[in-house]
Amino acid sequence: MTDAPTEILHATQCALCEHGYADLTMQDIADETDLSKASIHYHYDCKHDLLLAFLDHLYERFEERIDDPDGETPAERLCALVDSIVTERSDAPAFQTALLEIKAQSPYDEAFRERLQRFDDAYVEAVREIVEAGVADGSFREGVDPDVVASFLATFVNGVQTRHVGVGHPLDESAEAVHTYIDETLLVESSTGNATGSSGGVEIGGASE
Amino acid sequence: MTDAPTEILHATQCALCEHGYADLTMQDIADETDLSKASIHYHYDCKHDLLLAFLDHLYERFEERIDDPDGETPAERLCALVDSIVTERSDAPAFQTALLEIKAQSPYDEAFRERLQRFDDAYVEAVREIVEAGVADGSFREGVDPDVVASFLATFVNGVQTRHVGVGHPLDESAEAVHTYIDETLLVESSTGNATGSSGGVEIGGASE
DNA sequence: CTTAGCTGACTGGCTGGTCAGTCAAAAATA
DNA sequence: TATTTTTGACTGACCAGCCAGTCAGCTAAG
């Protein structure tokens, strides 16, 4: 049994997946717990505070997830880092949608923006370090600028999520596109081998749920 | 003076910029017109119908805008097409935000999704044609697949908007990143000359007075 | 007894949508 | 032409439902 505040944060995630951010009510969250709506107000002063706490909670898990991605070579690690966001997870689709809703609210909310900035900064930095390692290591081209590539990939990954949520563009197609980008633009061209040890031969048209 | 329905659509855009999608009320829209809230219900049965009509209205302007972009060479035209969405305009930031809010609602609304799909399809197709022309024309590498590149750029452009709205990532930096991508990945490497002249662009919802 | 945790019942504000009725202009009628 | 009727555009007032947040009070543990 976890303590109430943590249980509420967990319930918030469930409720977000089921109802989305826009339609999220305190009652929805309460319904995912053994507590009443009033109890949630006992632990978190207002809805806004709860959401901020939730984002902070989420960031901690995010940080762990992107820290030290799987893979031997920088190319593999870079792909793993991209996939960690792009690849579909069990509860992902609905949750990604809710996150995009929150992103879209960030201009109206300084505190949200600040939190999202942390996610972005952490991700860009993680990518940058790997690219930097790849260049030092000799597996990436000499010309590549880690800062530029990191920002480019971060932007692209944002696009993957948005386009997936917005028009249902399949994630695996996007994933393959990034892998191709990494192989062709970043890697020094030795053999045509792709160090991209990702899902072999994914093709277009996977009907995503 | 325009007719009432058109005036209401215009008012919808203004209200969206001022209040965002999430906080948009029928009263907000009415306040941007000489009409009352009830009058808007006279012309559009419900809020949802009005929003759909607004998206249709927007699509018409979007189609015209991306049709036949400025530029002599395919590379120039491609950059113009990218810039037409990426480049900032006076009232753009707020409106881009509202559009992202709508995108984030698309999973909950079949009709929205259908409209957004049209935007995406039209844009991808416009890019594809230009890339195809570039390959035929010899200015782009032989290996490039117009479909893949078009989808890649469409995804990236989505990311540009999302990252701009979500964490305030500067648009011009993104624009430069795409230009670099086009120069280095698409263009056959003759002289390092970049045909990439960034032009004053337009985008999804240029509010014409 | 005190207090932390919790709750049902309630409130106040907001918002989409309705409705009876106003009004001017077009259409019909004499 | 003069008068009446119809109709399209519009409106203020109102309603029903929803939801964040409040509060007095309950209970069990220390």
Side-chain angles (χ1 to χ4, degrees), chain A residues 12 49 95 209:
Chain A
T12 301
D49 285 354
F95 191 58
E209 203 75 6

Side-chain angles (χ1 to χ4, degrees), chain B residues 34 36 38-39 42-43:
Chain B
D34 294 331
S36 69
S39 277
Y42 175 81
H43 290 286

Side-chain angles (χ1 to χ4, degrees), chain B residues 15-16 38 54 76-77 83 89 92 102 107 118 126 138 146 155 159 179 186 194:
Chain B
L16 272 175
F54 174 69
E76 282 172 7
R77 292 164 62 78
D83 287 346
R89 269 168 62 108
I102 292 175
R118 281 212 288 273
T155 300
H179 295 169
L186 266 36
N194 60 342

Side-chain angles (χ1 to χ4, degrees), chain A residues 98-149:
Chain A
L99 283 183
L100 187 62
E101 292 183 75
I102 292 176
K103 267 186 201 171
Q105 290 307 308
S106 113
Y108 310 112
D109 191 308
E110 182 61 34
F112 276 8
R113 188 193 209 88
E114 189 182 298
R115 262 75 175 185
L116 293 175
Q117 186 81 58
R118 280 211 288 271
F119 282 88
D120 192 80
D121 288 345
Y123 191 73
V124 170
E125 176 57 18
V127 173
R128 200 193 62 77
E129 283 175 8
I130 293 180
V131 173
E132 202 167 46
V135 173
D137 161 292
S139 53
F140 289 170
R141 286 200 171 89
E142 275 186 32
V144 304
D145 180 335
D147 289 298
V148 171
V149 171

Side-chain angles (χ1 to χ4, degrees), chain B residues 13 16 25 34 42 44 50 65 81 86 112 124 134 138 191 198:
Chain B
Q13 174 151 354
L16 272 175
T25 69
D34 294 331
Y42 175 81
Y44 297 94
L50 170 56
R65 193 162 293 112
L81 195 53
V86 167
F112 276 8
V124 169
S191 54
S198 60

Side-chain angles (χ1 to χ4, degrees), chain A residues 8-207:
Chain A
I8 293 172
L9 292 180
H10 178 70
T12 301
Q13 174 151 357
C14 296
L16 271 176
C17 290
E18 282 177 43
H19 305 273
Y21 172 79
D23 283 344
L24 184 72
T25 69
M26 293 299 267
Q27 189 59 56
D28 292 333
I29 297 172
D31 289 346
E32 300 287 332
T33 69
D34 295 330
L35 303 174
S36 69
K37 182 168 68 108
S39 277
I40 295 175
H41 277 287
Y42 175 80
H43 290 287
Y44 296 95
D45 280 347
C46 63
K47 191 182 181 183
H48 190 246
D49 285 354
L50 170 55
L51 268 329
L52 292 183
F54 174 70
L55 285 180
D56 289 335
H57 173 69
L58 207 61
Y59 178 75
E60 288 174 25
R61 289 194 286 158
F62 179 75
E63 211 174 15
E64 290 169 13
R65 191 149 59 94
I66 66 171
D67 186 52
D68 193 43
D70 289 340
E72 300 289 319
T73 69
E76 281 172 9
R77 292 164 62 78
L78 186 54
C79 284
L81 194 53
V82 169
D83 287 347
S84 74
I85 291 195
V86 167
T87 297
E88 197 152 3
R89 276 162 60 107
S90 52
D91 62 342
F95 191 58
Q96 288 304 320
T97 300
L99 283 183
L100 187 62
E101 292 183 75
I102 292 176
K103 267 186 201 171
Q105 290 307 308
S106 113
Y108 310 112
D109 191 308
E110 182 61 34
F112 276 8
R113 188 193 209 88
E114 189 182 298
R115 262 75 175 185
L116 293 175
Q117 186 81 58
R118 280 211 288 271
F119 282 88
D120 192 80
D121 288 345
Y123 191 73
V124 170
E125 176 57 18
V127 173
R128 200 193 62 77
E129 283 175 8
I130 293 180
V131 173
E132 202 167 46
V135 173
D137 161 292
S139 53
F140 289 170
R141 286 200 171 89
E142 275 186 32
V144 304
D145 180 335
D147 289 298
V148 171
V149 171
S151 189
F152 186 86
L153 281 176
T155 299
F156 188 83
V157 162
N158 267 270
V160 171
Q161 293 174 317
T162 298
R163 202 155 167 241
H164 176 62
V165 170
V167 299
H169 190 74
L171 291 175
D172 50 9
E173 191 177 314
S174 295
E176 182 156 343
V178 196
H179 295 168
T180 303
Y181 167 81
I182 293 175
D183 283 345
E184 294 184 357
T185 310
L186 265 38
L187 282 180
V188 324
E189 46 216 319
S190 45
S191 54
T192 328
N194 59 344
T196 307
S198 68
S199 42
V202 193
E203 89 301 327
I204 307 174

